[in-house]
Amino acid sequence: MSDTMSRTRIRAWLAAGIWGVAGAGFLITFFAGGGPWTFPEESGRHLAGATALAFGFLGSWASLWLTRQRLGAPAAFDERDLATVARANQATLVVVLVAVFAFAIGLWTRYEAAGQVPVAWLWLLAYGSVILASVAAPVATLILDARSASHG
């Protein structure tokens, strides 16, 4: 086995880092300055949250472009990498579905008596789902890749 990191592992580390920063940026933006109770009225915080998400998407695109397959270069991935990413994506789907379900049930439980959920929580659910999926997939990839590497 080579001492160099596979392209799959490099991309997973980059994605986890980029989306980790984007997620932290969004959460700070969301909970700062009054939290979810003032978020709907503050367009500057909306812009900051959207900027955090844009950072994640643009950073992901840049990392994919920078680690792309160069013309004439040997293959940078194999069937094991494809299987690892496929299993990681399956795990990510379960993680995101459980998180969205739990968050929605939590909101319903908390606000059932009021008969309505403050709109900012829905903003958190939407952005948080994207961020969670974008962090969970590379983390799962790294975990599964490490497990498969230890088994030869």
Side-chain angles (χ1 to χ4, degrees):
M1 181 161 173
S2 171
D3 288 334
T4 60
M5 255 197 272
S6 71
R7 182 170 64 170
T8 300
R9 185 173 283 196
I10 291 168
R11 284 181 167 182
W13 276 111
L14 289 170
I18 289 165
W19 281 102
V21 169
F26 176 73
L27 289 174
I28 289 167
T29 298
F30 185 80
F31 287 106
W37 295 272
T38 60
F39 188 81
E41 294 86 32
E42 296 181 20
S43 61
R45 286 171 61 201
H46 294 175
L47 181 60
T51 300
L53 221 58
F55 170 79
F57 284 118
L58 292 173
S60 289
W61 175 82
S63 71
L64 290 174
W65 187 79
L66 291 171
T67 59
R68 71 191 182 281
Q69 180 75 35
R70 303 295 199 265
L71 211 58
F77 61 92
D78 59 18
E79 294 80 17
R80 188 186 63 82
D81 290 324
L82 296 174
T84 297
V85 170
R87 288 181 58 214
N89 287 338
Q90 291 171 341
T92 298
L93 176 62
V94 172
V95 167
V96 173
L97 287 174
V98 168
V100 168
F101 178 80
F103 191 76
I105 292 297
L107 288 175
W108 179 79
T109 302
R110 168 67 177 89
Y111 295 104
E112 179 184 12
Q116 59 188 8
V117 174
V119 70
W121 290 117
L122 302 178
W123 197 292
L124 177 66
L125 181 61
Y127 276 45
S129 298
V130 171
I131 293 165
L132 178 60
S134 299
V135 170
V139 168
T141 298
L142 290 168
I143 291 168
L144 292 169
D145 188 55
R147 281 186 186 170
S148 67
S150 68
H151 294 300

